[in-house]
Amino acid sequence: MTAAIEISGLSRRYGSVTALQPTDLSIAPGQFVTLLGPSGSGKSTLLAMLAGLLEPSGGRIRIAGRDVTETPAHARNIGMVFQGYALFPHMTVGENVAFPLRMRATPERTVAAGVTEALEMVQLGHLAARYPSELSGGQQQRVALARALVHRPAVILMDEPLSALDKKLREQMQFELRRIHAAIGATIIYVTHDQQEAMTMSDRICVLRDGSILQDAAPDRVYFEPANRFVAEFIGESNILPVSLIERDGGLLRLRLPSGEEVRAPEADAAEQAEAEIMIRPERVTIVAEDASAENAIAATISEVVLTGGLTRLIFRTAWGQPLSATWLTDRGMARLTPGTEVRLGWRVADTVVLRKADP
Amino acid sequence: MTALRRLRHPVLSLALMATVLFLIAFFLLPTGRLLILSVLNRAGEPTMDHYARLFSSPVYVQVLLNTVRISLITAALSTVLGFPVAYFLANARPGLRRVALFLVLLPFWTSFLVRAFGWMILLGRHGAINSTLMWIGFDGPYDLMFNEAAVLVGMVHAMLPIAILAIYGVLDNIDPRLPRVAQTFGARPGSAFWVVYLPLAAPGIAAAALLVFIASLGFFVIPALLGSPSNMMISQVVIFHADEMSDWGFGGAIGVMLLVTSVLIFLLFERLVGAQVLFSDASLSSGTEGRHPPGPGRPRRLLTAIGRISDLFVAALELMLRALPSGQRRAVRHLLGALLPALLIAFLILPILFVIPIAFSRTEFVVWPPVGFTVDWFGEVMRSPIWRSAAWRSVSVAVATATLSVLLALPLAIQLTRHPFRFRGGFMALLMAPMIFPHIIIALGLYYFFARLGIIGTSFALVMGHTLFALPFATLTLLAAFKRYDWRIDQAASVSGAKPLTVMRLITLPLVSAALGSAFLLAFVRSFDELTVALFISGGLTTTLPKQMWTESLTQFTPALTAVSVLFLAFVSTLILAGEGILKARR
C-alpha cells in the first residue's frame, strides 16, 4: 500500500537556525497523526512544508506516491485548517466552504450539494448565508473544518485548530474531530502543543523537540514507554528519580535510590549506564500499609493534599528530600491524610520506566 | 524549491527594481547633479565661486538666517499648538474624533495657496479684520499684512496640520490606560501626564518639529504672499534665479545650504529618536527595536517637577469646581478639555472659509464685507480656456500620478511586508527621502534634468515629478494595511487550490480595497495640490491649477481667484469625504 505521506530527509533552516533537522516520516492512509511539541520544536514548520507554504531546505515530500516537493500549494490537493481559522472575511460561510470546489472548476450544482454536505457534517447547515464575523469562535472553527474537507482531499492538515477555543468547547471538538475523521477516512496531520489533545485523538503521536522527532509511536506507548525524559515530562505528569544500577537479575534490574532504598524495574536498554533515572506516573503511586508487601516501596512524608475535583493530588517528600506526587481519584477518606505524616509509598515493577540519564 | 520561489517573486521584484530605477533617475541623479553643479563653473571646472557669491552678499546671508529663524519659530509654535489637538484626537469619542479629524485633514489637503488667500482676505488693508476694527470705531486701516508676524501666522497655519498628524500618529498608539495606571500607583493626574504620557509622546513631538522645520525651510508661498521683501525666504531666491536659466550653480549652492541644514537636523533627530517614527511603520523598526523612546532618564527630574506644579493647578481647578453640582462639574471639565483644541481647529478652518463669501461678491476687487451676490465669477472661471485647460491638466496628471503610485506601491508594500530583503532599510530611506527633502531642491534638480532632456512642460515630466512625492504616501498607506493583513487567509486560499493570481484577485485585493482607495486618493490629492515642481516644469499652455493660481495671485488677487479656490475646496473635500465613505463602507 502506498503511504499517504512519505517524507525523506526533509529539513528547514532559517539562516544559521535549524527549524527542522533532516526528518523521515511515513504515514499510512487514514491515519490520524499528531505532531506534538512545544513552540519552536519544528512541528509547524513541518506542516507548512507539507502544505507547500514553506520551501524545504532539503529533502523530498511525496503525497500518495507523487513527489510534490516542487509543487505549489494550490496544486497539492490537500485540505488545511489554519490556526485562527483564516476564513475569508468578505465571503459568506457558504462561499468560504464552496471556495475549494470552485477553484477546481466544479459544476455549480455539485458545488451546492458539496457545500450542504460539508456544512451538515459540521452541523452548520443553517448558517450558510452568514459572514464569518457574525459567528462565534466555535462556529468559525467548524466552518474552517468544512472548508478543509469539502473537496474530499486525501490529506487534511490541521495547525493548532482548537487553540483559540475555551477548554470545554475544545474537549467537545476533540470528539467531533474523531467522529469526522472516522466518517471521511482522510489522513489527518494534526499539530498541537497540547499533549492531552494529542492523546485523545491520535492514532499516532510524533513528539518533536528542537527540530527533531524524539519519539514516534501510538499514544499508549508514548505514555507508558516514553523514549526519554523530555517525552516523559511533556506527556502527562511524571515523577523522575535518580538511581544507580546494582545488578541485573534475570529480566529485572535492581536499582538503588539516593536514600539507599532498593527498587526493581523491568530490563531496559537505558540501563547500560551505571547512573540512570526512573519515571513513575503519579496515578500509579499508592500508599501501602507498614506490614503489607509491595513490589517497590519507599518511605516518604506527606507534604500537601490538594483536592482538584474528581482527582486529588498529593505531594510527598522522599527520604532524600525530593518531592514526589501522586494523583488519586478523590475519596472522602483522604481528609485524614495530614501533612507531616510518615507513610510508605509503593508502585509496581511494571510501572517503573528506566530513562537514560544523559538526556537533559 | 527554486521553482516555488520563482513563482512567487517576479512581479514583486520587478516593481522593486522599477522603483529603485525610478528614484535613481528622477531623484538621486537630478538632485545630485544639481548639488555637483554648485561647485562647478560654466566651463565645468571646480570652483567655489557660487558659495563665495552666496556668502559675500549680506542680502543672501540675511535671507538664509531669516529662513532658518522663521522655520525654527514655525516648528516650535506648530508643535506646541499641535499637541493639544493631537491629544484631543487621540482621546476623543470615535464620533467626535471622526469630525475633528476631518477638520484637520481638510486644511492638510487644501492647497497652501487657498489657505494663504484666506489670510489675505483677513489681513488685507480692506480685509475682514481691518473693516471690523474700523466698524467698531478704531482708526484703521492697519498694516496687518507684509510683515513677519503675518508670515509667521500664515506659516503656522500652513504647517499645523502636519504637526498635528505627526503627533497624533504616535499618541494614537499609546495605551490610553497608562496614565490611569500611573494614578492607581499614586501619581496625581498632572504628574501622570508629565511623567508617564509625555515621554511616550516624545517621538511624535520630535517628529512633528522635524517635519515642520524641514518643510518650512523650502517654503515660499506664505512669505511671498503675506510677507514683504525683508521677510524673504531662501526658496524665493531660488525661484527668482531659476528664471534666469543660466545660474544653475548658484541655485545648486543654495540647494546645498538647504540640504546641509536639513540633514544636520535630521541626523540630530535620528540620534535622539530614530527615524522610523517618521514613517509610522513599526514593521521597519523590527531590526532596531532596541531603541526605546527617550524614557524617564535625564529629563525625569524636570518632568517630575513640572508634573508637581501641574498637580497644583489641577488641584486648584478642582477646588474651584467643587462649588458646582457634580453633573455640571463634569460638563465644565469636558468643556475645558475641549476648549483649546476647539479654538485651534477653528484657527485652522475659519480663515479658509473666508474665501467663500468673496467668491460671490459683486466687486472687482477683494474687499470685506462682500457686496451683493453673484455667481458671475464662477461662470467666468469655468468659461476661461486657461482655467479649463489648467484644471484638465491637473486632473489628468493627478489621475496618472495616482495610478502609477498605486501600481508601484501595491507590489512594494507586499514585498516589504512579506519578503523582507537585505537592503530594506536603505530602500525605505530612499523611498521616503523625497517626502523629507525640501521640495524646492528636488524641483530645481528636475528642472535642470528635464530641461536637458527637452521635456519641460510635458505631462510625462509632471507625472514623474509628482510621483516622487505621491509614492511614499501611497506606499505607507498600503504598508499599514498589509501590516495588519493576515497572510494565512491567502495561504488558506492557495491550499484550497487557488493559483497565485487568483488569490490576488479573489482574496487579497478585495480585502485591501479600502487601503487601495485611500492610497489612490492620497496620491491624487498630493499631485493635484502640488505647486513646487509644477512651478518649475510646467508653464504656458501646460500649466496646472495650482501653478495658474500662483501666477494670478502674484499679479492680482481677484474674486475670480477666490471662485477657483472655492471650486478647489469643494473638490478636495468631496474627495476626502468620498475616501472616508469608502473606509466606512468597508468596515
Side-chain angles (χ1 to χ4, degrees):
Chain A
M1 189 170 53
T2 318
I5 293 175
E6 177 97 53
I7 67 174
S8 49
L10 193 67
S11 68
R12 173 71 201 195
R13 287 183 306 274
Y14 293 97
S16 61
V17 182
T18 303
L20 189 70
Q21 306 277 6
T23 298
D24 299 318
L25 192 63
S26 174
I27 295 168
Q31 271 195 332
F32 192 123
V33 179
T34 296
L35 306 179
L36 174 68
S39 59
S41 60
K43 56 189 194 303
S44 294
T45 304
L46 177 51
L47 198 75
M49 289 192 288
L50 284 177
L53 300 172
L54 189 68
E55 291 172 48
S57 306
R60 312 300 298 173
I61 303 170
R62 302 173 87 81
I63 295 182
R66 186 169 66 107
D67 189 322
V68 295
T69 316
E70 314 246 335
T71 311
H74 64 85
R76 290 196 182 188
N77 196 27
I78 50 178
M80 184 160 178
V81 180
F82 286 78
Q83 195 173 11
Y85 320 136
L87 298 176
F88 309 129
H90 57 311
M91 298 184 189
T92 63
V93 167
E95 288 165 347
N96 263 281
V97 177
F99 192 84
L101 296 176
R102 296 218 165 105
M103 287 303 114
R104 286 164 176 76
T106 317
E108 273 308 305
R109 274 230 325 274
T110 323
V111 170
V115 169
T116 311
E117 195 193 346
L119 284 176
E120 290 301 334
M121 187 166 288
V122 297
Q123 295 157 12
L124 282 184
H126 54 299
L127 293 180
R130 298 268 193 93
Y131 281 91
S133 58
E134 299 166 326
L135 303 183
S136 71
Q139 291 169 326
Q140 292 183 23
Q141 212 286 322
R142 286 159 190 268
V143 177
L145 196 56
R147 185 179 63 180
L149 55 80
V150 66
H151 51 300
R152 293 306 168 113
V155 173
I156 301 179
L157 310 176
M158 302 191 180
D159 189 5
E160 308 230 5
L162 306 183
S163 59
L165 303 180
D166 64 51
K167 191 170 184 293
K168 215 164 190 162
L169 207 50
R170 199 159 61 222
E171 281 166 8
Q172 189 188 331
M173 279 308 294
Q174 289 170 10
F175 287 95
E176 194 111 335
L177 278 174
R178 274 170 61 132
R179 177 181 63 77
I180 289 169
H181 176 233
I184 61 175
T187 309
I188 295 183
I189 317 288
Y190 189 99
V191 160
T192 185
H193 63 265
D194 182 334
Q195 47 96 13
Q196 190 247 328
E197 206 168 282
M199 297 295 288
T200 310
M201 293 188 291
S202 321
D203 297 325
R204 188 172 152 194
I205 296 178
C206 297
V207 185
L208 283 92
R209 189 183 63 161
D210 296 339
S212 338
I213 296 181
L214 297 181
Q215 188 167 15
D216 171 7
D220 57 338
R221 283 205 45 206
V222 173
Y223 190 77
F224 290 118
E225 298 161 40
N228 57 31
R229 180 173 180 161
F230 175 80
V231 177
E233 286 185 313
F234 195 71
I235 309 235
E237 302 279 319
S238 57
N239 292 301
I240 295 184
L241 311 177
V243 291
S244 50
L245 180 66
I246 303 172
E247 63 166 350
R248 289 166 198 276
D249 178 8
L252 291 181
L253 302 171
R254 285 177 56 214
L255 306 163
R256 195 191 312 280
L257 291 167
S259 57
E261 294 166 297
E262 199 180 303
V263 292
R264 284 170 301 158
E267 177 69 71
D269 299 346
E272 292 299 319
Q273 301 150 296
E275 302 294 315
E277 285 170 325
I278 53 171
M279 187 274 287
I280 310 114
R281 295 288 181 197
E283 68 273 15
R284 310 308 304 166
V285 177
T286 56
I287 291 181
V288 291
E290 276 305 324
D291 47 357
S293 73
E295 291 186 7
N296 283 323
I298 62 170
T301 315
I302 301 176
S303 68
E304 239 180 301
V305 181
V306 185
L307 174 71
T308 66
L311 296 175
T312 295
R313 207 179 139 79
L314 297 100
I315 314 284
F316 301 94
R317 198 161 287 278
T318 61
W320 64 96
Q322 183 180 347
L324 193 151
S325 69
T327 309
W328 296 342
L329 290 174
T330 301
D331 184 279
R332 278 185 178 277
M334 286 171 184
R336 288 196 301 272
L337 297 170
T338 44
T341 315
E342 296 193 352
V343 291
R344 265 181 91 213
L345 297 179
W347 64 89
R348 288 169 40 198
V349 170
D351 292 328
T352 315
V353 181
V354 182
L355 302 169
R356 200 181 296 271
K357 176 89 176 186
D359 279 304
Chain B
M1 276 156 267
T2 43
L4 219 60
R5 177 174 293 148
R6 249 182 277 131
L7 265 174
R8 245 185 270 152
H9 292 278
V11 183
L12 302 183
S13 316
L14 202 68
L16 191 69
M17 297 291 288
T19 307
V20 170
L21 287 180
F22 166 79
L23 289 169
I24 290 175
F26 295 105
F27 171 58
L28 280 190
L29 289 183
T31 310
R33 179 79 193 145
L34 178 75
L35 303 182
I36 290 171
L37 282 177
S38 75
V39 290
L40 298 178
N41 65 16
R42 265 182 219 166
E45 294 145 357
T47 174
M48 291 307 280
D49 285 358
H50 304 300
Y51 292 94
R53 188 171 147 211
L54 189 61
F55 285 106
S56 64
S57 153
V59 177
Y60 292 139
V61 173
Q62 187 56 45
V63 170
L64 262 177
L65 290 176
N66 189 45
T67 305
V68 172
R69 196 185 71 244
I70 289 185
S71 300
L72 278 176
I73 299 175
T74 305
L77 284 175
S78 302
T79 309
V80 169
L81 297 177
F83 186 85
V85 182
Y87 183 84
F88 178 76
L89 284 175
N91 294 289
R93 285 180 286 112
L96 195 57
R97 177 197 330 217
R98 203 169 305 135
V99 175
L101 202 54
F102 173 75
L103 292 177
V104 173
L105 283 174
L106 182 63
F108 182 70
W109 293 117
T110 301
S111 166
F112 290 125
L113 287 167
V114 175
R115 287 190 265 168
F117 296 165
W119 284 107
M120 289 162 78
I121 294 168
L122 273 171
L123 300 177
R125 277 186 79 80
H126 305 287
I129 293 179
N130 265 323
S131 61
T132 308
L133 287 177
M134 283 154 73
W135 183 74
I136 294 171
F138 285 91
D139 289 346
Y142 301 97
D143 287 324
L144 301 174
M145 222 156 70
F146 307 122
N147 55 46
E148 186 167 307
V151 171
L152 280 174
V153 168
M155 291 285 285
V156 169
H157 186 248
M159 297 296 165
L160 191 53
I162 299 178
I164 293 172
L165 293 174
I167 300 174
Y168 172 59
V170 170
L171 296 194
D172 200 35
N173 288 322
I174 298 178
D175 187 340
R177 292 171 309 180
L178 285 180
R180 237 169 298 154
V181 170
Q183 289 186 39
T184 64
F185 288 120
R188 288 165 183 280
S191 290
F193 173 83
W194 287 95
V195 181
V196 175
Y197 195 83
L198 204 66
L200 291 171
I205 295 171
L210 174 79
L211 287 176
V212 171
F213 178 76
I214 290 181
S216 302
L217 274 184
F219 210 56
F220 58 90
V221 172
I222 295 293
L225 293 179
L226 299 180
S228 74
S230 65
N231 309 125
M232 193 178 267
M233 287 172 74
I234 198 73
S235 298
Q236 293 169 271
V237 179
V238 174
I239 293 168
F240 180 75
H241 280 276
D243 284 345
E244 319 163 6
M245 285 288 277
S246 53
D247 229 349
W248 292 106
F250 189 60
I254 295 177
V256 168
M257 297 317 299
L258 272 175
L259 194 63
V260 167
T261 319
S262 304
V263 167
L264 280 180
I265 293 283
F266 186 81
L267 288 180
L268 184 71
F269 177 82
E270 162 80 65
R271 280 209 69 122
L272 289 178
V273 228
Q276 68 269 28
V277 188
L278 288 179
F279 312 138
S280 53
D281 170 16
S283 74
L284 249 191
S285 64
S286 55
T288 52
E289 240 161 21
R291 190 155 8 197
H292 291 283
R298 270 165 297 159
R300 188 181 56 203
R301 269 193 216 139
L302 179 66
L303 288 175
T304 312
I306 299 175
R308 294 258 163 76
I309 297 168
S310 73
D311 285 333
L312 290 179
F313 277 102
V314 174
L317 197 67
E318 287 295 319
L319 264 180
M320 286 190 278
L321 288 179
R322 198 163 288 175
L324 298 168
S326 70
Q328 277 180 35
R329 217 184 296 162
R330 192 176 321 142
V332 171
R333 246 186 247 138
H334 273 217
L335 207 66
L336 284 177
L339 188 64
L340 187 57
L343 284 176
L344 287 166
I345 289 177
F347 166 76
L348 277 179
I349 289 291
L350 289 181
I352 305 174
L353 298 184
F354 273 82
V355 300
I356 298 172
I358 296 293
F360 295 96
S361 172
R362 283 187 175 284
T363 51
E364 292 278 330
F365 307 101
V366 173
V367 288
W368 192 269
V371 181
F373 181 85
T374 176
V375 291
D376 287 355
W377 300 114
F378 290 93
E380 186 188 311
V381 164
M382 287 198 264
R383 277 191 306 274
S384 146
I386 295 178
W387 284 113
R388 286 169 69 123
S389 87
W392 171 243
R393 170 62 62 115
S394 277
V395 169
S396 54
V397 165
V399 166
T401 301
T403 309
L404 180 61
S405 299
V406 169
L407 283 181
L408 284 176
L410 178 67
L412 282 181
I414 295 177
Q415 176 93 6
L416 285 163
T417 40
R418 278 213 84 173
H419 310 294
F421 48 93
R422 193 143 33 118
F423 305 107
R424 195 166 172 275
F427 174 77
M428 281 305 280
L430 178 63
L431 181 68
M432 296 301 149
M435 215 162 82
I436 302 164
F437 253 54
H439 289 191
I440 193 93
I441 306 177
I442 299 172
L444 198 60
L446 282 177
Y447 183 30
Y448 178 74
F449 180 60
F450 289 145
R452 301 192 86 194
L453 291 180
I455 56 170
I456 289 289
T458 61
S459 292
F460 172 79
L462 268 177
V463 170
M464 290 302 119
H466 285 180
T467 303
L468 277 182
F469 303 122
L471 185 58
F473 277 89
T475 310
L476 284 183
T477 309
L478 290 178
L479 264 184
F482 278 118
K483 233 167 49 190
R484 287 190 306 266
Y485 192 81
D486 182 358
W487 291 104
R488 274 176 304 193
I489 294 176
D490 280 26
Q491 297 184 340
S494 99
V495 169
S496 301
K499 298 192 178 100
L501 284 180
T502 315
V503 176
M504 187 53 76
R505 182 169 54 87
L506 292 181
I507 310 293
T508 321
L509 291 185
L511 288 178
V512 297
S513 58
L516 281 175
S518 36
F520 186 90
L521 278 181
L522 284 180
F524 182 93
V525 178
R526 271 285 107 173
S527 164
F528 190 72
D529 213 17
E530 208 284 333
L531 174 60
T532 316
V533 167
L535 194 62
F536 286 93
I537 61 179
S538 74
L541 289 173
T542 67
T543 185
T544 67
L545 211 48
K547 166 95 187 270
Q548 186 59 26
M549 287 163 77
W550 167 252
T551 315
E552 291 260 320
S553 69
L554 288 183
T555 27
Q556 198 177 19
F557 185 42
T558 61
L561 209 43
T562 63
V564 176
S565 302
V566 168
L567 292 173
F568 198 105
L569 262 180
F571 186 61
V572 170
S573 34
T574 312
L575 284 185
I576 301 176
L577 286 174
E580 278 275 296
I582 293 174
L583 287 180
K584 223 184 288 175
R586 274 285 149 191
R587 272 173 209 147

